[in-house]
Amino acid sequence: MKQTVLPNFPDAKSPAGAEIRFIMDGPTGNMIHSTVPPGQVNRATRHKTVHEFWHVLEGRGQIWRSDGVKETTVDLEAGVSIDIPAGTAFQYRCDGDASLKFICISMPPWPGDDEAEYVKGVWLPTV
């Protein structure tokens, strides 16, 4: 059994550009806390093998997702949860005056930054 505490400072940046703090990992998945500063638009990416679940904790933003057949843009605010299936292109941004913060669970565990490939998004990235 594991127990962790949210780190005070980011451990890394995601391939898309968000600050990430590692929270938990195990054989079937891992969990991070992600922060997107106000006004930041992250790079559009697609994951090759990882499926993600997000739950927004605070802030406001939007996420665009496309699986090649269907496209959707969802408002991100506290309480909203979304999924990003493997192979889905996505791009997200922080629209509010405060940072967008969310929990992200990856399954299987994140294999490394080569997992993400950059794709054409709907917004011009700022990172």
Side-chain angles (χ1 to χ4, degrees), residues 48-79:
K48 299 171 189 169
T49 63
V50 170
H51 190 113
E52 290 186 347
F53 298 115
W54 292 12
H55 179 76
V56 180
L57 301 170
E58 58 186 82
R60 288 185 310 115
Q62 289 188 313
I63 185 167
W64 163 83
R65 294 173 291 171
S66 175
D67 63 7
V69 176
K70 180 182 175 186
E71 283 190 33
T72 184
T73 300
V74 174
D75 291 331
L76 298 173
E77 59 188 25

Side-chain angles (χ1 to χ4, degrees), residues 41-42 44 62-64 73-74 91-93 95 121-125:
V41 179
N42 287 358
Q62 289 188 313
I63 185 167
W64 163 83
T73 300
V74 174
Q91 185 179 24
Y92 55 105
R93 64 186 185 183
D95 292 334
V122 293
W123 304 299
L124 184 62

